[in-house]
Amino acid sequence: MQNQSMVASSATSIMPSGNQFTMSSRDLLEMINKVRLEENENAVRVNQFHERVADELSDFNYKTFVVENLNNTKSTYFELTQDMCMLVAMRESKKVRRIVLEQLKTKFNHRQIVIPQTLPDALRLAAELAEEKLKLEYKVQQDAPKVAYADKVSLSQNGESISNYAKSIKVGPIRLFDYLRKKKYLNSEGRRHNTPRQSYIDQGYFTLKESHYESKDGEVRTAYTTLITGKGRVWLTNKLINDGFIS
């Protein structure tokens, strides 16, 4: 999964990505909330929407990117294909869903393609495309180790330890465990200390590794190690960014 820094803009955009066009989850949220308000429904919060997108698209290979806002803050969004947008929109009420799906079809299937009419315009477009290509190639090279690691984790069925995940985001494990307990993602008391609450296991964010050991008095006891899954990495990383825990 690749991260890409971009400057925030207010216009809803359809962006070319390989052989298909994509839309920012920010733009999709704006579209959904506009229709929701027109239909006298409550708007969706950004954090709630991102949890929903991550859950709906857990089996998809989508990109995330960080947007630098005008007030010097940063927000994380997803780059979504038409199919991904349609899947997320299907969760809306019947009335909102119908309108949003129609708007998505219109934006993706009837996008305006600007064709240069003069030689200077064509040269400028060619120069812009060449510059974008160089930037993308450089970004791909820079992100290659991160992407390879993310792919490895996403493919892992058993997940990785919280300590290893903490190292990958450059956060101390003790500090991260403290955050997870305060947020009630992990249990904080008893023999289940630092193990995930069942609801987060059921959602596929964490798993438990069970091992056995013999105590000093000869009794065989069970120990549990919390592991975070590939889906959990996406979910938790977005949580940490939105809470300002990491940048």
Side-chain angles (χ1 to χ4, degrees), residues 159-181:
E160 65 173 335
S161 68
I162 298 297
S163 296
N164 284 344
Y165 169 69
K167 292 177 183 177
S168 72
I169 59 173
K170 299 181 180 179
V171 171
I174 295 177
R175 182 166 171 248
L176 181 58
F177 270 113
D178 183 60
Y179 168 88
L180 294 172
R181 289 192 299 270

Side-chain angles (χ1 to χ4, degrees), residues 46-86:
V46 175
N47 292 354
Q48 178 185 357
F49 185 71
H50 281 165
E51 289 181 13
R52 168 173 148 190
V53 172
D55 180 55
E56 288 287 346
L57 305 181
S58 59
D59 295 329
F60 288 80
N61 182 23
Y62 56 85
K63 297 179 181 179
T64 63
F65 57 93
V66 178
V67 175
E68 297 179 1
N69 302 312
L70 298 179
N71 60 354
N72 294 324
T73 61
K74 295 182 179 180
S75 302
T76 301
Y77 296 98
F78 306 128
E79 183 181 334
L80 309 177
T81 64
Q82 181 176 1
D83 290 341
M84 294 177 190
C85 290
M86 296 290 188

Side-chain angles (χ1 to χ4, degrees), residues 145-156:
K146 300 176 185 176
V147 174
Y149 179 72
D151 289 343
K152 179 180 178 181
V153 171
S154 296
L155 292 173
S156 172

